[in-house]
Amino acid sequence: MAKVLLTGASGFVGSHVLPALLDAGHHVVALCRSERVGAKVQSRIERGGERLHVRVGDIENEDSVVAAATGCDAIVHLVAIPRDWSGGRELDRVNHLGTAHVVAAAQRAGVRRFVHLGALGVEERAGLNYATSKARGERVVRASGLDYTIIKPSLIWGERDGFFNIVAALVRVPAPVVPVPGNGKSRFQPVWVGDVARSIVTVLADPKGSVGRSYELGGPRYWTYAEITREVARALNKRRLIVPMPVPLIALVAGVSEAIRFPFPVATDQLRQLALDNIGALDAVERELGFVPVDMAGRLGYLQRKVSKQ
């Protein structure tokens, strides 16, 4: 079994990857921003806690990552943000430059194995800040000379997720309708967070077969934005009419909200991203990783519970 440095252990995906790594027998060094966050991470672990070691550090402090990575056999890098308030500057700082810091730390610490959480369908394109930041981060990993593997999921659903809980908040509003951006036909391939964690454990166990490769992760079917919203409403036992709203109108409201830093469910950058489908081959996970991903249908009951704070 390996000793693995895990960044982003306190986040949504990390809260599922960490126990999966421990269940697989690995020793895990969890890089956390503070002792308080580290204590929260430790409190969630039910099995294998004796193989969990918390180190305080930050991906923007390369020396702290080097200190945590020294003596490790692999790094699993999960840290990323989905949106910002600065026209893409924060996205680039975390998703692109933050990844570059972790890659440089791996090189300095002599850690060859590197598993990176990318994203499905991202590319460098003007006006798509999140996609560009993630694509640049992936490019850094590919050019690193490390024994890398990139995991590229579509929308991730599961306990403590972001996107589906945001949709659920809209559905909970006591109104008969729920607006969806555009025509509601943008397509996604939602993948369960447990399958993302399983994929990471799988590639760590198969370094020869997975080094230098990227894996697209998606569930066993495609869902439109409108279908996702209906599924969330069903999970919450709410009867709602799904109403398409013109993207320019929603973008106007989102833009004003961003200007005054008022929380709004969707960012202008995310609205622009809806022009591109977020899907891959339906059989990719089974063909490449050897298991059938879980279908989201009927499994969003966790949205009835409040999201615990990280």
Side-chain angles (χ1 to χ4, degrees):
M1 294 296 103
K3 184 177 182 181
V4 181
L5 173 65
L6 179 66
T7 73
S10 65
F12 159 51
V13 177
S15 69
H16 295 265
V17 171
L18 175 54
L21 289 171
L22 293 172
D23 286 346
H26 297 295
H27 288 259
V28 180
V29 178
L31 187 71
C32 298
R33 295 183 302 277
S34 67
E35 292 183 1
R36 180 188 62 81
V37 173
K40 183 71 172 179
V41 168
Q42 288 179 310
S43 71
R44 294 182 182 140
I45 298 304
E46 298 178 355
R47 300 182 303 276
E50 71 281 358
R51 285 180 279 108
L52 171 61
H53 315 277
V54 171
R55 295 293 300 269
V56 175
D58 190 286
I59 64 169
E60 293 189 82
N61 183 338
E62 191 177 304
D63 288 341
S64 72
V65 183
V66 172
T70 298
C72 289
D73 304 299
I75 294 177
V76 174
H77 178 48
L78 305 179
V79 174
I81 58 173
R83 61 186 293 181
D84 67 11
W85 305 91
S86 57
R89 290 188 296 276
E90 188 78 358
L91 284 163
D92 191 71
R93 184 179 65 81
V94 176
N95 299 346
H96 169 210
L97 300 179
T99 298
H101 286 307
V102 179
V103 165
Q107 294 166 334
R108 289 173 55 191
V111 181
R112 295 286 310 164
R113 190 74 176 102
F114 196 96
V115 178
H116 175 65
L117 186 67
L120 182 64
V122 296
E123 59 183 70
E124 292 190 53
R125 181 183 293 194
L128 298 182
N129 299 328
Y130 170 77
T132 294
S133 70
K134 289 295 289 182
R136 288 174 175 171
E138 291 181 16
R139 178 157 51 85
V140 168
V141 173
R142 290 191 180 93
S144 66
L146 299 174
D147 294 336
Y148 74 84
T149 305
I150 300 175
I151 301 294
K152 296 167 64 67
S154 182
L155 286 178
I156 305 175
W157 60 274
E159 198 78 39
R160 299 175 66 244
D161 67 42
F163 178 84
F164 293 88
N165 272 283
I166 289 173
V167 175
L170 289 175
V171 170
R172 289 191 187 97
V173 174
V177 301
V178 179
V180 297
N183 59 15
K185 294 182 179 179
S186 299
R187 293 188 299 169
F188 303 88
Q189 197 177 349
V191 58
W192 179 44
V193 67
D195 285 337
V196 176
R198 181 177 180 178
S199 300
I200 289 172
V201 171
T202 297
V203 299
L204 277 175
D206 181 27
K208 289 186 178 180
S210 62
V211 165
R213 297 188 60 189
S214 296
Y215 294 87
E216 294 187 344
L217 299 189
R221 59 173 284 191
Y222 302 140
W223 296 72
T224 67
Y225 201 119
E227 288 171 339
I228 288 172
T229 305
R230 291 190 188 97
E231 186 67 16
V232 170
R234 279 193 288 269
L236 296 177
N237 298 312
K238 303 289 186 181
R239 297 184 65 179
R240 296 288 187 266
L241 179 64
I242 310 303
V243 178
M245 295 289 289
V247 168
L249 177 60
I250 297 180
L252 177 62
V253 178
V256 171
S257 299
E258 289 170 8
I260 63 175
R261 300 212 167 192
F262 181 80
F264 190 71
V266 64
T268 52
D269 180 50
Q270 292 168 325
L271 289 170
R272 292 189 293 269
Q273 186 72 38
L274 290 177
L276 304 176
D277 285 338
N278 190 246
I279 59 175
L282 289 173
D283 65 344
V285 174
E286 183 176 11
R287 175 167 35 86
E288 301 289 347
L289 294 166
F291 66 92
V292 178
V294 173
D295 191 347
M296 185 180 73
R299 291 184 170 90
L300 299 182
Y302 65 89
L303 293 173
Q304 297 178 18
R305 300 185 289 274
K306 289 185 178 181
V307 178
S308 62
K309 294 183 178 180
Q310 297 180 9

